[in-house]
Amino acid sequence: MLILPPKDIARLAQAVASRASGKPVRIALLRDAESRKAMGPMPIFPGIEILAFDLDTDGAFADFDISTQSARIAAEMEAGVQAFLAANRPDVVVEATGRALTGAMVCQAALESGYPVVSLNPRTDLAVGHYLRHLAHEKGLRYVFWQPDSVRAALDLKEALEASGLEIVSLGATLPASGAGEQPLSDADISAVMIEMACLANATGISLDRPGMNGQHCRPEELAGFYRPLEEGGIFAVPCCVDYAVLDGLPAGVYAVAKAQETEGKSTAYRTHFTPLSSCAHSWLAALAEVLEDGAKTPDLAYRPVADVCAIALRDVKPGERLAGAGAADYRGIAMRVDEIRWRESIPIGLLEGAMAKQIIEPDEPIVLENCVIDHTSRLYALRGLQEKLRLAS
């Protein structure tokens, strides 16, 4: 069964029907075991043929040494991807892995081979999305990052409110609170919302108030009282920011706190706007329309990331001990502004795959270059270097 909003079904059907060749659109879906399980059975859509290629990443990157082994494994995996693409010659490559390292390798290999890319991987886009957009532009191809559900819902809410003449002072996700006295969020929940809100910050250009954001726990009617600038009685040190909130009595969703000038009393009114989150299992199919539509443009080079996600240790990490790449057992994510990441020398989570502790890292201690060494042989590290050159050049 296809689970997709009607408007997206219509847009995709029109994009498929407009193809001059009349042949089915061949989609190369590259995924790992985790994403295969999360995505479930492949949808059936008229005029689309999905060719799945499963990458064996469970053991490949979970425990490698900081040596040339990582480069060798990546090269072998890249060769397999290139062989699959050459044999099947798809119209679009969809990258759906869960790791920044494998996602970057897949996206680069596809673009270098001449195929447009849709990435479903927020870790990859946070790590090297700026570089991948430039690479696609150089190749005259499309690179589309399909945002998480919460990010797309927040963007829709922002567009609607701004069209109504309202000024947004805060935008982000809301999470349901647990029972009284319980921890409202697990470490995995925290990491997930950090990644999603960093993506939202980059999509809008609206930065963060502080590392980790505020995550206010309150009743819905209280949120606008907290999420406003300090001079207006709130807690924000900046005029506008991305954040998240834990709200009593509401399901997961997105919020915006907006202000409007009251015409009678001439005072500023702050109000919270909330939209519940609805998830569609096959929403990523809508991204194909952006690639297939006539007149589709190469990526906008004006894109400038303003946030990324770094890490805070969850347990004692001993010197010489390696950190897991994508799990929540060793660390949790913390969203930060890119300028803070540089001066704090924090390590983005994408670069923690295969990283090794240089000294004891205690629980709740930030993981930074002072206490951890990253794998300088990895493909991701090399691409981050190219991305940094692009940043300095611009």
Side-chain angles (χ1 to χ4, degrees):
M1 177 170 51
L2 181 67
I3 306 176
L4 195 65
K7 65 176 183 178
D8 291 336
I9 292 176
R11 182 184 179 189
L12 180 57
Q14 183 177 4
V16 171
S18 65
R19 284 172 57 85
S21 66
K23 296 179 180 179
V25 179
R26 294 168 62 84
I27 307 300
L29 177 64
L30 288 88
R31 57 190 182 178
D32 53 21
E34 183 180 348
S35 59
R36 181 175 67 247
K37 182 178 179 181
M39 297 177 79
M42 287 297 94
I44 298 175
F45 194 91
I48 290 181
E49 180 183 359
I50 298 178
L51 311 167
F53 182 74
D54 295 333
L55 296 166
D56 181 14
T57 60
D58 290 342
F61 295 101
D63 196 34
F64 60 76
D65 295 326
I66 298 182
S67 65
T68 56
Q69 182 181 357
S70 62
R72 177 182 59 79
I73 293 173
E76 292 175 355
M77 191 172 294
E78 182 180 29
V81 169
Q82 290 174 333
F84 173 78
L85 296 179
N88 292 280
R89 301 187 64 81
D91 296 293
V92 183
V93 173
V94 176
E95 183 271 310
T97 69
R99 295 176 182 272
L101 181 57
T102 50
M105 181 272 295
V106 168
C107 291
Q108 184 191 28
L111 291 170
E112 292 284 6
S113 299
Y115 299 104
V117 170
V118 172
S119 176
L120 314 183
N121 187 344
R123 289 173 178 265
T124 294
D125 194 74
L126 284 174
V128 290
H130 190 192
Y131 166 76
L132 292 174
R133 286 168 173 82
H134 273 262
L135 178 60
H137 188 272
E138 289 179 358
K139 300 289 184 180
L141 298 169
R142 287 281 284 162
Y143 167 81
V144 175
F145 170 48
W146 189 244
Q147 300 279 7
D149 291 337
S150 62
V151 177
R152 286 184 286 107
L155 292 174
D156 289 343
L157 179 58
K158 175 179 180 291
E159 182 181 6
L161 294 177
E162 289 180 339
S164 301
L166 299 177
E167 180 183 349
I168 293 175
V169 297
S170 184
L171 181 71
T174 66
L175 299 149
S178 300
E182 296 182 10
Q183 173 69 22
L185 296 174
S186 68
D187 292 320
D189 291 332
I190 292 174
S191 293
V193 76
M194 293 292 163
I195 290 172
E196 292 174 4
M197 293 304 96
C199 289
L200 177 60
N202 290 338
T204 59
I206 302 173
S207 194
L208 312 177
D209 180 50
R210 57 190 294 269
M213 299 174 286
N214 292 281
Q216 187 70 38
H217 184 175
C218 62
R219 296 191 300 272
E221 62 271 20
E222 297 174 325
L223 187 60
F226 290 110
Y227 281 8
R228 63 174 71 180
L230 284 168
E231 58 268 24
E232 297 288 341
I235 62 174
F236 290 156
V238 294
C240 179
C241 64
V242 165
D243 215 302
Y244 75 99
V246 181
L247 299 182
D248 295 325
L250 287 181
V254 295
Y255 81 90
V257 174
K259 67 177 182 179
Q261 198 73 25
E262 295 287 354
T263 55
E264 296 181 2
K266 296 184 179 179
S267 61
T268 302
Y270 290 85
R271 294 188 177 88
T272 300
H273 304 263
F274 171 80
T275 300
L277 193 62
S278 59
S279 178
C280 293
H282 306 132
S283 64
W284 60 271
L285 285 172
L288 300 178
E290 295 190 30
V291 177
L292 298 173
E293 286 174 337
D294 292 336
K297 298 179 181 179
T298 55
D300 182 9
L301 296 186
Y303 172 84
R304 294 291 184 274
V306 298
D308 204 338
V309 179
C310 296
I312 292 178
L314 291 175
R315 61 174 180 84
D316 285 314
V317 183
K318 300 176 182 178
E321 190 173 355
R322 289 187 294 272
L323 298 170
D330 294 340
Y331 57 83
R332 65 174 174 84
I334 175 170
M336 300 174 64
R337 298 196 307 265
V338 292
D339 60 327
E340 290 177 321
I341 292 173
R342 294 188 185 103
W343 70 262
R344 292 174 184 264
E345 295 190 327
S346 299
I347 303 175
I349 55 174
L351 294 176
L352 286 180
E353 299 181 12
M356 180 183 293
K358 293 195 293 186
Q359 60 193 50
I360 295 176
I361 306 176
E362 298 180 347
D364 297 324
E365 182 179 352
I367 300 177
V368 296
L369 291 175
E370 182 180 357
N371 57 28
C372 188
V373 58
I374 59 180
D375 180 8
H376 291 77
T377 70
S378 77
R379 174 67 58 83
L380 191 65
Y381 181 82
L383 296 185
R384 286 282 293 202
L386 294 175
Q387 182 168 274
E388 183 64 11
K389 289 181 179 179
L390 290 172
R391 183 189 69 82
L392 294 174
S394 62

